[in-house]
Amino acid sequence: MVHLFDSSALKTPLPSVVGELGTLFENAGYELSLVGGPVRDLFLGRVSPDLDFTTNARPDDIINVIRRWCDTYWEIGRAFGTIGLRKAGFQIEITTYRADAYDPESRKPAVAFGDKLEDDLFRRDFTMNAMALRLPSMELVDPFGGAQDLQAGLVRTPGAPSTSFSDDPLRMMRAARFASQLEVDVAPDVFEAMKDMAGRITIISAERVRDELVKLINGKAPWTGIDLLVESGLAEHVLPEVSALKLEIDEHHRHKDVYQHSLTVLRQACGHETGADGDVPAPDFVLRFAALMHDVGKPATRRFEPNGSVSFLHHDAVGSKLTAKRMKALRFDNDTIKAVSRLVELHMRFYGYGDAGWTDSAVRRYVNDAGPLLQRLHRLTRSDVTTRNRRKAERLAFAYDDLELRIAALAEQEELAAIRPDLDGEAIMALLGIRPGPVVGRAYRFLLEERMENGPSGEAEAAALLRGWWAEQPESRDVPGPQAAAPEAGAGDKTEAGTNPSATVEGSK
């Protein structure tokens, strides 16, 4: 299907670089088309800063055409027919028509260049991405009905889904990602192929799976994409902990559906994100993934009690370990792993606050344990309330409102965001006359406990407490008596704020 594209209907006009590039290639005697995602986005009323083009020109010819026009170019993808360049702030890739052949046991294609635009479009993942805009004539080439599928909100493949997914099994995850990002459905034959071929995802590298998962989680409706992964069986291979949440409901239905609860928590967490200037700007992968994974420890800890109730004792700690293990397998960076698994570990900490009340020291510990994750923990905890019991939901919301007010009130009095002892590692060593070692770590932890329990005391009082503690330690007999004078004012400032003696002292973690 080829027809002129009505560019006047665009909510956002095409960047001038598109027309300029089309004219350059036409004058050089080559075809050029805007292709894939950027064309799809035109139908969605947006223009991507990353522009993809396809051409019958070979890589050397592409370079000859663009080298004097672009700001810079690179040849990293040259073996696959792709030349990258930058012009006027736009990231551009131009790829020679492809007609690749795939080994069924590998993702690596035998690269073959083609001569026809339609053949190139046929090898693409979905019909909505298999549209092209010929330049500079602005002819829309849509041989597989991508525009119609996009309007219908349907993910279809140009050819048989089984062939497409065999060529690149990651396309099955990409279908789930589009369901999340664009809020569309997959065609029945696409879903059936996903179920039949789910095991093929295992030949894809963990890094590529991770990248698709992040895009899915950061989409508009990630719960939709996750549900598609689970129902198709793909999650059994990439997120088995989430599939396991579909616990067998006991015959009396005395506990909630953990899987559906987790999807609801994910949906509610997205609703608690903020704008760009807020504490947790959307989309926040750490918050969202923690919301999805927060109960993954329940299957391993489920117990049916004699009274007929169901318990999940320590599922937070178990879930934190399972989350970290899965994220390591997916090659996430250490900082992201630590943040998500820590939120999973802390997500139950709040419960009981409304019934028993907390001392100021308990509030300090809550803030200190959350550290830089406090704002995310606030949102995760609130999102975890999915009860249909309105009175219970209101009670929990009121209790958490009260906790946040307590935190704010204490923050005005104390430096809650960076709770540390009134003496740092250097001051402890100077006062006790000891060298770096495990004892310094124990002393530091003693002072930290005092700080948590009683709030800031000042250096003089901290020094007195430390001397009393030291007098009870067996090591004190082997060391000359502690310094008689308290540390000089500012002794705790000899190192940067927040000094952690574990950086220099063994065993102080």
Side-chain angles (χ1 to χ4, degrees):
M1 181 188 301
V2 179
H3 56 79
L4 286 177
F5 185 74
D6 183 8
S7 60
S8 65
L10 293 179
K11 297 178 182 179
T12 304
L14 279 169
S16 59
V17 294
V18 174
E20 292 175 16
L21 200 54
T23 301
L24 277 176
F25 273 77
E26 183 181 52
N27 291 342
Y30 300 110
E31 298 176 3
L32 184 75
S33 297
L34 185 67
V35 71
V39 178
R40 179 198 68 225
D41 286 349
L42 294 178
F43 287 89
L44 300 174
R46 62 195 190 197
V47 175
S48 171
D50 299 331
L51 301 173
D52 295 328
F53 297 84
T54 189
T55 179
N56 61 345
R58 297 313 195 240
D60 284 342
D61 302 322
I62 294 172
I63 292 173
N64 288 334
V65 173
I66 58 92
R67 69 192 321 160
R68 292 183 177 83
W69 174 80
C70 65
D71 298 327
T72 185
Y73 73 92
W74 51 92
E75 304 179 46
I76 297 174
R78 183 192 184 101
F80 298 95
T82 299
I83 302 298
L85 59 114
R86 188 174 294 110
K87 175 70 173 181
F90 286 92
Q91 187 102 343
I92 295 171
E93 286 191 349
I94 305 174
T95 302
T96 303
Y97 295 155
R98 294 269 291 272
D100 300 337
Y102 289 84
D103 179 345
E105 299 306 317
S106 172
R107 166 60 193 107
K108 298 178 180 179
V111 178
F113 296 144
D115 297 306
K116 293 181 62 178
L117 173 60
E118 288 75 10
D119 292 343
D120 181 90
L121 296 178
F122 181 75
R123 55 171 288 276
R124 294 179 180 268
D125 53 5
F126 305 116
T127 59
M128 64 176 65
N129 294 330
M131 299 184 287
L133 198 61
R134 288 191 188 274
L135 301 169
S137 64
M138 298 294 286
E139 290 179 333
L140 179 66
V141 182
D142 182 16
F144 309 108
Q148 182 177 345
D149 289 340
L150 191 58
Q151 185 175 9
L154 203 60
V155 176
R156 287 196 313 112
T157 54
S162 58
T163 301
S164 180
F165 296 157
S166 180
D167 285 349
D168 185 359
L170 191 67
R171 290 172 175 175
M172 295 184 286
M173 283 198 67
R174 201 171 294 150
R177 188 242 293 182
F178 282 129
S180 168
Q181 288 182 327
L182 304 179
E183 298 180 281
V184 294
D185 298 318
V186 297
D189 61 335
V190 171
F191 180 67
E192 288 303 316
M194 291 171 67
K195 289 201 299 183
D196 293 342
M197 304 180 68
R200 288 274 295 161
I201 197 67
T202 56
I203 72 169
I204 301 298
S205 70
E207 290 82 0
R208 294 185 72 212
V209 169
R210 174 202 63 208
D211 291 347
E212 280 298 324
L213 181 61
V214 170
K215 292 174 184 177
L216 185 159
I217 294 293
N218 285 343
K220 289 182 180 179
W223 51 90
T224 302
I226 290 296
D227 197 43
L228 191 52
L229 292 182
V230 170
E231 294 302 321
S232 66
L234 281 163
E236 291 283 352
H237 305 282
V238 298
L239 280 179
E241 297 80 6
V242 175
S243 292
L245 292 175
K246 301 192 78 170
L247 295 173
E248 207 176 292
I249 301 295
D250 65 287
E251 58 180 329
H252 301 294
H253 298 278
R254 288 178 178 168
H255 67 275
K256 67 177 69 174
D257 183 331
V258 182
Y259 172 66
Q260 289 299 329
H261 163 74
S262 298
L263 294 186
T264 300
V265 175
L266 173 57
R267 183 186 298 112
Q268 293 184 166
C270 294
H272 285 303
E273 291 171 332
T274 66
D277 297 329
D279 293 319
V280 185
D284 188 90
F285 175 81
V286 169
L287 171 62
R288 293 183 179 200
F289 201 55
L292 175 65
M293 304 290 283
H294 78 285
D295 274 349
V296 295
K298 282 190 171 180
T301 58
R302 182 176 62 160
R303 298 290 182 272
F304 292 99
E305 304 297 344
N307 63 1
S309 64
V310 182
S311 68
F312 303 95
L313 192 62
H314 304 310
H315 78 271
D316 44 357
V318 173
S320 177
K321 292 177 180 178
L322 289 173
T323 298
K325 183 178 179 181
R326 177 54 46 195
M327 294 182 73
K328 287 176 183 175
L330 290 172
R331 305 292 192 269
F332 277 92
D333 63 277
N334 288 334
D335 288 343
T336 305
I337 294 172
K338 289 178 182 177
V340 175
S341 59
R342 184 62 166 160
L343 283 175
V344 172
E345 181 184 1
L346 294 174
H347 84 272
M348 292 293 293
R349 185 71 62 88
F350 160 73
Y351 292 96
Y353 174 84
D355 297 327
W358 285 0
T359 62
D360 284 352
S361 64
V363 174
R364 292 187 194 101
R365 292 177 194 279
Y366 187 77
V367 174
N368 186 67
D369 289 347
L373 298 171
L374 181 62
Q375 290 299 327
R376 289 183 174 113
L377 182 58
H378 286 335
R379 287 156 175 79
L380 176 59
T381 303
R382 289 185 182 277
S383 301
D384 196 22
V385 178
T386 63
T387 177
R388 296 180 181 179
N389 185 321
R390 180 179 175 184
R391 185 171 296 177
K392 181 180 180 181
E394 289 177 348
R395 184 174 69 251
L396 288 170
F398 177 82
Y400 208 84
D401 287 344
D402 184 67
L403 175 57
E404 288 202 56
L405 289 173
R406 292 272 306 280
I407 291 172
L410 279 174
E412 289 186 7
Q413 305 167 29
E414 310 172 16
E415 193 181 354
L416 284 187
I419 294 178
R420 60 182 68 87
D422 294 284
L423 302 177
D424 67 9
E426 288 191 10
I428 290 170
M429 290 186 288
L431 182 67
L432 302 182
I434 59 177
R435 296 179 179 276
V439 176
V440 183
R442 283 171 28 217
Y444 187 93
R445 289 194 296 275
F446 164 75
L447 290 177
L448 181 60
E449 285 295 317
E450 288 291 330
R451 170 72 173 80
M452 290 286 190
E453 198 65 33
N454 302 306
S457 60
E459 292 180 0
E461 185 177 343
L465 289 169
L466 183 61
R467 291 193 192 95
W469 173 85
W470 179 241
E472 299 175 358
Q473 307 305 306
E475 294 91 345
S476 64
R477 304 184 192 125
D478 302 325
V479 179
Q483 303 290 332
E488 297 179 5
D493 297 325
K494 290 181 181 179
T495 58
E496 294 182 6
T499 296
N500 183 353
S502 66
T504 54
V505 181
E506 180 184 355
S508 62
K509 290 185 180 179

